[in-house]
Amino acid sequence: KLPLAERTRIVEKMRFCAVQTVPLQFATPLIGRRPPEFRFRVGAYRIIVGRDVQVMSILRVADRKDVYQ
């Protein structure tokens, strides 16, 4: 379970990105992932998202040392 402060920061980041014209401009593509996945950084946490044509889905939220395993 994430601390309340971190949850709040993650929600704010995702809301900010959701209202952008190109929300993935703030994300880093992950190499070698099929289907393509992207990473957002929020403090020590990483948010891994997948994207379909119109929908961006959160796949994982974890500490940076654990998220890629």
Side-chain angles (χ1 to χ4, degrees):
K1 189 171 178 179
L2 299 175
L4 179 60
E6 294 300 324
R7 283 185 286 179
T8 302
R9 289 180 65 196
I10 289 168
V11 169
E12 288 175 4
K13 175 84 170 201
M14 291 292 92
R15 284 184 179 156
F16 170 79
C17 291
V19 298
Q20 302 301 312
T21 309
V22 183
L24 292 177
Q25 70 182 344
F26 302 103
T28 303
L30 297 177
I31 306 297
R33 302 285 179 116
R34 293 284 175 220
E37 294 178 357
F38 299 85
R39 171 192 83 195
F40 289 96
R41 292 179 12 186
V42 179
Y45 290 89
R46 301 299 180 259
I47 306 161
I48 306 299
V49 299
R51 180 153 190 238
D52 290 333
V53 177
Q54 295 289 329
V55 178
M56 189 168 65
S57 303
I58 297 175
L59 303 175
R60 282 183 300 284
V61 176
D63 190 279
R64 65 185 183 160
K65 67 181 185 229
D66 300 324
V67 73
Y68 304 110
Q69 298 174 2

